[in-house]
Amino acid sequence: MKIAIINGRVINPANGFDRICDILIDNGKIVSIKKLTKIPENAKIIDAKGKIVSPGIIDIHTHLREPGHEEEETIRSGTISAAAGGVTTVCCMPNTHPVIDNQTAVEFISLKAKNEGVVNVYIIGAISKGLKGEEISEIGELKSAGVVAISDDGNPVMNSLIMRRALEYAKMFNLPVISHCEDLNLSADGVMNEGYVSTTLGLRGISKESEEVMVARDIMLARLTGGHLHIAHVTTKNSVELIRQAKKQKIKITSEVTPHHFTLTDECAKTYDTNTKIKPPLRTKEDVMAIKNGLKDGTIDCIVSDHAPHTEEEKQKEYDLAPFGIIGLETLLPLTITELVLKKVLTLNEALAKLTINPARILNIDRGDLKIGAPADVIVFDIKKKRKIEKFYSKSRNSPFLGWELYGFPEVTIVNGKVIMENGEIYV
Amino acid sequence: MRLKSKDLLGLKELSADEINLIIDTARPFKEVFTRSIKKVPTLRGKTVALLFYEPSTRTRTSFELAAKRLSADTINITSTASSVMKGESLIDTGKTLEAMQVDFVVIRHPMSGAADVLARNIKASVINAGDGMHEHPTQGLLDIFTIKEKKGKIKGLKVLIVGDIAHSRVARSNIYGLTKLGAEVRICGPATLIPKDIEKTGVRVYYDLNEALEDVDVVNVLRLQFERQKENLFPSIREYMLLYGITKERLRRAKSDVLVLHPGPLNRGIEITSEVADGLESAINEQVTNGVAVRMAVLYLLAGAQ
């Protein structure tokens, strides 16, 4: 099938390309990126005048909940949610039931994704067997099964020796180790950021230090082992500073942030709305500021959703009892555009880099670059049009952004040369 | 003047005027008890549900008496004896009560925010009888009433709250109410039991009890929960008692006419000695009497706001 995306502003952060021209897609691949003198017959025409055309988003931190919690999300519904959000590639975390800590489990996800997924799915395997943090999983086997990274996300690896071994061993396979930094003894039974708000709400707090001590520890282990450390969902000012210093020392470290951590603060919890209950928690104004600065100066490499679906029944509970997590695939791009680009924290090019080529390079995924012959993962979006969030394509609705008006919603999502989403309609 | 909200969820959101309204309304209700027929028909025909997810003697009895003295009908739901044991959610329980046309739900719950969540989901007036570590507004109000009755004012008084501030809803409600009415509030306890950023509420933090007691007008003593020792928040009950126990000797540093309060129940010999608890400075029993009057006032005013 031929697709011609015409008149749009094509931005390709991988090489700094930023020009009004056309993209021609055929047989799943990009055929040309230039002004077309003639549009081929029987090509589907997408008029992107006044809009942005960019590589599809690569979200390297999502939870698809299958196998085990299909009532929250499935690979199918999660990838549909991705397509609705302009995300053409997702990486799914292994904290499913059962855990993705062996070859069979990886193959299950691969097959499910191939048969039922509507966007590209890459798999992150577990660092430790059963995510218990006691024994490293068969990382070599996971690699040959096709994982692109390992992580115990949802959990930290509390035992420093295990984390060291994981970094050393994974280095052999060129696998980044994605670390969820949280000292469980410090965070204990906390449910939100520890501070004035948690004190007045009477809710147990999670200190910033519970993240920072682990960031510091992991950085030292990365330095010791030479392994590639990727810090998941950074939330505090000091974490950003630690990463900044580590990069100066040329330690192999990369990091990510989520849109909710550069948009919201712990003040949102005042209504006891459990859609503000997240791990790591929403922090304070100074942390939001530090994250934005970290994005600006390159300390933070990419922006991810940490899409974590939960059913209404699970979330409709007392704050202490509700599970942590919010969905995010569909608000990833709009929040980045509204809060970072339109508020002049990042340029459009810089923001798109954080969503496409940077995550691709971190995980060695050969996508996120609009070049001739590449698989056609392309999106079209409008940064001038405002829209109110009224529904979600995900199975779950646990988002604090319901009712928000944002700019930059994707209008067309093309995956491997096939239109999967156009103007809100899903075509599968 | 009336209360702005259909519910009483906490003192943080109440204005000083609203607090004073409740205190002033409670005064004549206290007079009702001295009569031989201790009942007024004010809330006749209204139903008050007492939804207690946590055990309680004084608060539940106090609310029940307050409702009955206003001629309201009361129903008691304690969690162990109800569907809650079968896993029924808080909101479902609230909706069930609403379907039975209950006018007031008085709720005590072990988790912060429970009263807020219930109030948002039902039309009846919700009164927070203590939610987790968040607020216990009627306790705060009766403490303020007691102080005002004995001292004639709140403004400018030095009030000290001693104990496990971090886990105390009584401390929080007291802090909000007293600072709003212009008292100089001090808090004292081990650093591990003082919550983060509490100074932002306008209180002064002390770790040394002797220093904290200097020249105070009122001491409000909080109950020590023994479970906290297992969480490594203090090394032993003995050490807590030695450093933070209120004794007659320690009390000499306060003003000679110092008033001693305690929300109860008492751990005699630990956070407070029997000598002090039963002594002339103590208004602990008075607090209980005042509690019924204050709760009558709250029910009466919320009925007016319905």
Side-chain angles (χ1 to χ4, degrees), chain A residues 194-200 207 209, chain B residues 166 194-199:
Chain A
E194 183 180 14
Y196 178 66
V197 180
S198 70
T199 288
T200 57
S207 62
E209 285 74 10
Chain B
I194 304 283
K196 195 138 176 27
D197 292 342
I198 192 74
E199 326 76 49

Side-chain angles (χ1 to χ4, degrees), chain A residues 189 194-204 209 270-273 316-321, chain B residues 12 90-91 109 111-114 116-117 120 133-134 167 172 176 195-198 200-201 228:
Chain A
D189 46 11
E194 183 180 14
Y196 178 66
V197 180
S198 70
T199 288
T200 57
L201 292 181
L203 291 172
R204 290 186 163 75
E209 285 74 10
K270 281 189 174 147
T271 53
Y272 292 102
D273 176 5
Q316 274 257 55
K317 287 195 177 121
E318 296 86 324
Y319 209 89
D320 284 324
L321 298 178
Chain B
K12 190 159 206 285
L90 172 59
I91 294 175
H109 195 285
M111 289 171 194
S112 305
D116 281 65
V117 167
R120 262 208 292 275
M133 309 187 302
H134 177 225
H167 299 95
R172 282 172 178 79
Y176 303 139
K196 195 138 176 27
D197 292 342
I198 192 74
K200 293 197 176 140
T201 58
R228 304 290 173 212

Side-chain angles (χ1 to χ4, degrees), chain A residues 405-424:
Chain A
E405 288 189 327
L406 299 171
Y407 295 87
F409 281 89
E411 298 187 358
V412 182
T413 303
I414 296 167
V415 181
N416 294 316
K418 197 162 159 265
V419 175
I420 303 293
M421 186 279 286
E422 189 172 7
N423 294 321

Side-chain angles (χ1 to χ4, degrees), chain B residues 3 5-9 14 119-120 122-127 302:
Chain B
L3 294 176
S5 164
K6 73 164 174 80
D7 312 295
L8 176 64
L9 302 176
L14 285 191
R120 262 208 292 275
I122 64 173
K123 291 193 215 68
S125 289
V126 174
I127 300 174
L302 286 179

Side-chain angles (χ1 to χ4, degrees), chain A residues 159-398:
Chain A
N159 185 326
S160 304
L161 179 61
I162 304 290
M163 186 63 175
R164 174 197 174 151
R165 296 293 178 231
L167 280 162
E168 280 174 328
Y169 199 79
K171 194 172 70 165
M172 297 194 289
F173 305 102
N174 254 315
L175 285 174
V177 178
I178 302 177
S179 184
H180 168 115
C181 294
E182 179 190 349
D183 183 318
L184 294 175
N185 292 315
L186 286 177
S187 61
D189 46 11
V191 298
M192 65 171 288
N193 180 52
E194 183 180 14
Y196 178 66
V197 180
S198 70
T199 288
T200 57
L201 292 181
L203 291 172
R204 290 186 163 75
I206 297 170
S207 62
K208 298 181 191 188
E209 285 74 10
S210 63
E211 172 178 304
E212 293 155 10
V213 304
M214 293 298 261
V215 171
R217 179 203 76 165
D218 287 348
I219 286 173
M220 290 175 202
L221 294 177
R223 184 176 60 210
L224 173 65
T225 59
H228 175 179
L229 170 69
H230 178 82
I231 309 278
H233 44 48
V234 177
T235 70
T236 82
K237 181 170 150 187
N238 288 327
S239 291
V240 174
E241 187 53 36
L242 284 165
I243 296 167
R244 187 176 281 126
Q245 292 310 317
K247 283 191 171 184
K248 283 204 179 109
Q249 294 172 46
K250 306 263 188 276
I251 295 171
K252 269 173 88 175
I253 180 172
T254 51
S255 68
E256 67 186 38
V257 289
T258 68
H260 43 277
H261 289 116
F262 60 63
T263 306
L264 304 172
T265 65
D266 58 1
E267 303 254 336
C268 304
K270 281 189 174 147
T271 53
Y272 292 102
D273 176 5
T274 55
N275 288 327
T276 59
K277 184 173 178 180
I278 312 165
K279 242 191 196 179
L282 300 174
R283 302 286 187 185
T284 62
K285 278 202 186 80
E286 65 161 13
D287 303 296
V288 171
M289 204 71 259
I291 286 175
K292 289 181 177 169
N293 287 332
L295 280 164
K296 262 204 274 244
D297 76 3
T299 302
I300 301 175
D301 305 88
C302 58
I303 301 169
V304 304
S305 69
D306 196 2
H307 181 86
H310 286 294
T311 61
E312 233 183 289
E313 291 79 20
E314 289 178 285
K315 279 293 209 177
Q316 274 257 55
K317 287 195 177 121
E318 296 86 324
Y319 209 89
D320 284 324
L321 298 178
F324 292 94
I326 57 171
I327 50 172
L329 280 165
E330 297 167 51
T331 44
L332 178 57
L333 181 62
L335 284 169
T336 300
I337 297 298
T338 311
E339 296 295 319
L340 298 179
V341 178
L342 296 180
K343 294 193 178 164
K344 308 229 188 286
V345 176
L346 294 177
T347 64
L348 189 48
N349 269 277
E350 290 168 336
L352 286 172
K354 311 261 183 208
L355 291 169
T356 57
I357 192 66
N358 290 4
R361 285 185 179 140
I362 288 170
L363 295 188
N364 276 309
I365 293 173
D366 191 14
R367 289 185 188 264
D369 187 355
L370 297 177
K371 54 188 184 197
I372 316 286
D377 295 337
V378 187
I379 58 172
V380 179
F381 59 95
D382 191 342
I383 65 172
K384 292 185 250 74
K385 209 185 286 173
K386 193 164 66 166
R387 202 213 289 178
K388 189 173 184 186
I389 301 176
E390 267 155 350
K391 66 162 184 168
F392 293 107
Y393 292 80
S394 161
K395 256 189 172 181
S396 296
R397 299 170 54 79
N398 52 318

